[in-house]
Amino acid sequence: MNVLITGGAGFIGSRLAHKLHQGNATVTVIDNLSEQIHGAGRAFPDGLEDVARCIIGDVRDRDAMRAAIAGQEVIVHLAAETGTGQSMYQVEHYADVNLQGTAVLLDLLVNERPPALRKLVVASSRAIYGEGQYHCAEHGSIYPDARTVEAMDAGRFDPVCPTCGNAVTVEPTAEATPYGPSSFYGLTKQVQEQMVLMFAATLGVDGFAMRYQNVYGPGQSLNNPYTGILAVFSNLVRQGKGLNIFEDGEESRDFVFVDDVIDATAAVCAPDVHGVMSLNVGAGVRTSVLDVARTVIDYYGADVPVAVTGAYRLGDIRHNVADISRIQALTGFTPKWAFADGLKAFLDWAGGHEAADSGFDKSLKELSDRQLLRTGKVA
């Protein structure tokens, strides 16, 4: 099959290109090689041009996209700006890339109707859920509102039941959970996936919105301060710097290894997988940020301090664990990588690269200057 991957030089896209090529797909990649992601060299990853036709171009460029989609049977739309914190002050830019870029793609597909097209796949995010799904002893499964500044200033970081105000426990978040993004990034992902699924139905093709959880693994950008805490922590620890942990350190995430993400995404590209729907892609297990910090320090044998600061970022969520039963039923996907094994693979790889100054401190200052990073306390 002929497959186009937008943002295909990135962490997920480049690996997906190799995976699909191994399955005898003819792959085309379009990517603008953003410096924040790819560094100053702005080159395609080694080996990508051996498995894909590589185009330097922007998804907002109508002519470049028209040329890229010609003859494609499957389009995997990964191109996007990521980062919840940055999205809260680079609002126009996130809207332009994530929403306008998607609009250009869909406008071309609707108005020019490429005859070969049979499937659209878009990278969505767990950020669309906001706080996600929890359980209240009195009210069952509930969907908490975004946490308030007043509560977090007082060190009350856990969500509460919106009906009775009582404490709640985490449940795996299913796709039926209502939209509730707490960051502008999450909102762009919500709209992006709704756009793609709407127009997939309009065009009469399959459409899948892949709600990726916290993706990590070898090859992840070490230069981008918004790429995720594993890259940030590995850089800081290898430079002998201490780790300042937000909130009380008990906030948790569903870390899913990149190879599992590639398997899940390739699975929905298969000709015999049909539908128009959203799909969670995660490990189905949550790990606290404090546990991650300690593991990274232990792995490198570093003697650096860990400070649990109580500080918090507006737009962050508290906990995250995905219900992955829908994609398992549709494709048979089952994650192969336990977090301990995946983290070791990532840290092994990161240790072979220079510890980058990713601009993390600068990113925190930018948030603080805009009052998006607040000083709370540990209760």
Side-chain angles (χ1 to χ4, degrees):
M1 58 186 174
N2 295 328
V3 183
L4 170 67
I5 307 173
T6 72
F11 176 44
I12 295 173
S14 58
R15 281 158 178 73
L16 180 62
H18 282 273
K19 174 81 172 182
L20 295 175
H21 174 76
Q22 290 168 5
N24 295 319
T26 299
V27 182
T28 299
V29 160
I30 185 168
D31 200 297
N32 69 355
L33 300 178
S34 164
E35 183 173 343
Q36 178 169 293
I37 298 167
H38 296 279
R42 301 188 64 196
F44 286 106
D46 290 345
L48 184 60
E49 291 175 289
D50 296 332
V51 300
R53 176 171 66 110
C54 293
I55 302 168
I56 299 177
D58 196 296
V59 289
R60 295 165 291 181
D61 183 333
R62 190 178 183 88
D63 290 336
M65 287 300 294
R66 177 183 286 112
I69 67 176
Q72 304 296 343
E73 298 168 80
V74 178
I75 297 175
V76 182
H77 184 38
L78 304 180
E81 290 289 359
T82 62
T84 57
Q86 188 180 47
S87 76
M88 298 295 283
Y89 59 91
Q90 291 193 7
V91 180
E92 183 178 7
H93 180 64
Y94 271 68
D96 189 33
V97 175
N98 294 5
L99 302 182
Q100 179 61 20
T102 305
V104 168
L105 168 63
L106 295 174
D107 190 271
L108 286 167
L109 296 180
V110 168
N111 287 294
E112 302 187 9
R113 298 272 175 165
L117 183 69
R118 60 175 179 79
K119 187 169 295 190
L120 292 173
V121 181
V122 63
S124 185
S125 168
R126 73 84 42 220
I128 66 167
Y129 295 123
E131 291 297 339
Q133 186 172 330
Y134 287 73
H135 182 81
C136 172
E138 183 175 350
H139 297 101
S141 292
I142 54 97
Y143 310 100
D145 299 325
R147 299 173 295 166
T148 65
V149 168
E150 292 74 19
M152 291 192 287
D153 278 347
R156 300 193 304 272
F157 297 114
D158 283 311
V160 297
C161 176
T163 302
C164 65
N166 288 336
V168 293
T169 56
V170 185
E171 286 186 344
T173 296
E175 290 88 351
T177 298
Y179 292 121
S182 55
S183 67
F184 187 61
Y185 167 71
L187 182 58
T188 67
K189 282 295 170 180
Q190 172 191 329
V191 177
Q192 195 180 38
E193 76 159 51
Q194 289 178 304
M195 291 167 70
V196 169
L197 296 183
M198 174 187 290
F199 283 100
T202 299
L203 292 163
V205 301
D206 296 317
F208 296 102
M210 311 300 282
R211 294 178 177 175
Y212 298 140
Q213 309 301 299
N214 289 67
V215 186
Y216 73 100
Q220 192 169 351
S221 175
L222 298 175
N223 303 300
N224 184 356
Y226 304 99
T227 195
I229 63 169
L230 298 183
V232 170
F233 284 179
S234 72
N235 280 330
L236 292 174
V237 170
R238 288 184 294 136
Q239 294 174 62
K241 297 179 179 179
L243 302 181
N244 292 323
I245 308 299
F246 292 148
E247 302 185 14
D248 59 1
E250 295 305 318
E251 62 272 24
S252 63
R253 298 294 182 263
D254 185 336
F255 293 100
V256 57
F257 194 67
V258 64
D259 288 1
D260 287 330
V261 168
I262 299 311
D263 286 348
T265 308
V268 302
C269 293
D272 59 347
V273 176
H274 302 292
V276 177
M277 67 186 76
S278 57
L279 297 167
N280 284 334
V281 181
V285 178
R286 65 186 181 93
T287 305
S288 77
V289 171
L290 191 53
D291 283 344
V292 171
R294 289 168 175 159
T295 302
V296 172
I297 290 169
D298 288 347
Y299 174 86
Y300 288 122
D303 183 16
V304 299
V306 176
V308 178
T309 65
Y312 63 92
R313 295 181 299 188
L314 296 181
D316 275 358
I317 55 98
R318 178 62 168 169
H319 297 298
N320 169 34
V321 61
D323 178 342
I324 56 174
S325 57
R326 179 183 287 183
I327 193 171
Q328 287 177 321
L330 181 70
T331 69
F333 165 75
T334 298
K336 298 182 178 69
W337 284 81
F339 181 62
D341 297 330
L343 182 57
K344 182 181 183 303
F346 169 73
L347 296 175
D348 282 347
W349 170 82
H353 294 74
E354 183 178 354
D357 179 4
S358 67
F360 181 64
D361 289 341
K362 178 175 179 288
S363 74
L364 295 183
K365 185 178 185 305
E366 290 174 349
L367 289 171
S368 182
D369 288 346
R370 294 162 176 83
Q371 298 186 350
L372 297 169
L373 175 64
R374 306 286 184 96
T375 302
K377 68 178 183 179
V378 179

